[in-house]
């Protein structure tokens, strides 16, 4: 139970980097400071313990990175590392990716990253997947023209059905695609996530990766 979770109090220790109970007001207050003069706004849904987001933020100090995650322990681990490195261009929030439009203005996100989202494998549970028509409609509103989606997963059925969903949408176009990321030319620029490192140590299954571009109306 959550009240027995030892991380429930520690989420309050990283005020500048982590919003544990966000609302529009606290988000605006923290985000505005971070995003001033930012060249691009990136969002990662399900950022885990922050490995991928932190590497992006180190590589592009003039851009701003926003991570959403639900699990307390992963958020605390990420916030601790971000604070230690003083990566001021990152903000984390405990919130569902489906609610991005409660916080962001239309046309304000440049890049969306989703890595190894929960696959909800059973047929009756697939409605819980983050990628669906409503989510793409929301992203269509929130993206700047020609904003980008980066998506990878080892769950190849989820990968294929998401590729179809995105490919069939008139608001998006797939520009990069591979069913085996680590054996593809995209591997050179790939930043590995915690889950990806874990998979590598457990037989290295193929990973699907795609990059899609938003097409404005
Ligand atoms: C399989 S893990 C992958 C974590 C990380 N992306 C990685 O590759 O190491 C999926 C993560 O997404 C988070 N998550 C699941 N549903 C979410 C949602 N609706 N919004 C935000 N995060 C979510 C989970 O808590 C979990 O940490």
């Amino acid at each position: 139970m959550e009240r027995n979770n030892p991380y429930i109090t520690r989420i309050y220790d990283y005020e500048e980097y982590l919003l544990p109970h966000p609302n529009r007001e606290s988000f605006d207050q923290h985000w505005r400071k971070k995003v001033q003069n930012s060249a691009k706004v990136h969002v990662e849904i399900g950022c885990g313990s922050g490995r991928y987001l932190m590497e992006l933020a180190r590589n592009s100090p003039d851009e701003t990175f926003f991570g959403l995650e639900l699990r307390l322990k992963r958020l605390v681990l990420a916030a601790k590392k971000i604070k230690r490195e003083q990566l001021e261009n990152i903000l984390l929030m405990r919130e569902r990716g489906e609610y991005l439009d409660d916080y962001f203005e239309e046309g304000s996100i440049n890049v969306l990253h989703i890595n190894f989202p929960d696959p909800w494998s059973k047929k009756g549970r697939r409605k819980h997947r983050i990628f669906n028509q409503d989510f793409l409609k929301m992203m269509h509103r929130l993206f700047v023209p020609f904003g980008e989606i980066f998506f990878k997963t080892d769950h190849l059925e989820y990968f294929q059905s998401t590729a179809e969903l995105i490919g069939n949408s008139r608001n998006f176009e797939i520009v990069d695609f591979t069913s085996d990321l680590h054996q593809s030319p995209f591997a050179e620029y790939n930043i590995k996530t915690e889950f990806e490192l874990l998979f590598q140590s457990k037989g290295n299954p193929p990973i699907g990766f795609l990059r899609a571009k938003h097409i404005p109306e």
Side-chain angles (χ1 to χ4, degrees):
M1 282 205 349
E2 190 152 281
R3 66 184 138 86
N4 296 327
N5 187 322
Y7 293 92
I8 193 75
T9 53
R10 292 177 56 190
I11 50 170
Y12 301 101
D13 294 347
Y14 306 94
E15 209 187 329
E16 293 304 311
Y17 304 95
L18 166 60
L19 302 179
H21 303 292
N23 56 42
R24 182 65 198 244
E25 206 183 333
S26 62
F27 170 79
D28 280 348
Q29 201 187 348
H30 283 78
W31 186 241
R32 212 176 294 130
K33 274 191 261 167
K34 302 251 177 200
V35 88
Q36 264 172 9
N37 306 321
S38 172
K40 276 187 182 179
V41 169
H42 297 247
V43 171
E44 185 182 6
I45 296 179
C47 63
S49 315
R51 185 181 199 277
Y52 177 90
L53 202 63
M54 289 178 71
E55 186 63 14
L56 288 177
R58 284 184 205 107
N59 293 345
S60 302
D62 59 331
E63 300 180 5
T64 317
F65 298 86
F66 180 71
L68 294 117
E69 175 52 59
L70 301 177
R71 297 243 191 160
L72 294 176
K73 181 176 178 181
R74 292 178 187 165
L75 277 168
V76 168
L77 289 176
K80 193 174 166 187
K81 291 185 289 181
I82 293 164
K83 185 175 180 181
R84 193 166 55 215
E85 268 193 55
Q86 296 190 320
L87 286 169
E88 303 300 337
N89 56 339
I90 300 186
L91 182 66
L92 304 173
M93 188 157 96
R94 189 172 190 220
E95 182 58 280
R96 301 190 68 82
E98 291 85 341
Y99 300 153
L100 271 180
D101 61 353
D102 285 353
Y103 300 92
F104 284 87
E105 302 287 337
E106 284 188 17
S108 64
I109 295 175
N110 297 84
V111 191
L112 173 75
H113 306 260
I114 303 190
N115 298 315
F116 306 95
D118 293 345
W120 298 104
S121 305
K122 291 195 181 139
K123 262 213 163 121
R125 312 284 288 164
R126 288 186 188 161
K127 58 181 180 288
H128 296 297
R129 288 178 171 177
I130 185 89
F131 277 110
N132 57 41
Q133 296 281 5
D134 287 343
F135 180 74
L136 286 187
K137 272 191 209 151
M138 177 180 78
M139 289 315 304
H140 173 54
R141 290 194 301 275
L142 297 181
F143 268 132
V144 300
F146 309 106
E148 292 176 293
I149 299 176
F150 286 78
F151 168 52
K152 59 181 166 178
T153 176
D154 64 314
H155 195 287
L156 294 185
E157 182 277 318
Y158 189 10
F159 181 64
Q160 287 299 342
S161 63
T162 303
E164 274 167 37
L165 183 77
I166 295 176
N168 289 333
S169 161
R170 63 190 174 94
N171 300 121
F172 293 92
E173 180 192 1
I174 295 176
V175 284
D176 292 332
F177 180 95
T178 174
S179 302
D180 196 352
L181 172 60
H182 292 173
Q183 306 304 324
S184 76
F186 309 117
E188 193 183 341
Y189 308 101
N190 181 41
I191 297 174
K192 289 183 181 153
T193 73
E194 285 98 3
F195 267 65
E196 199 167 345
L197 291 175
L198 198 71
F199 294 146
Q200 253 185 317
S201 66
K202 291 185 175 173
N204 212 7
I207 289 166
F209 161 77
L210 66 80
R211 181 169 71 93
K213 260 198 190 303
H214 169 242
I215 304 164
E217 301 270 279

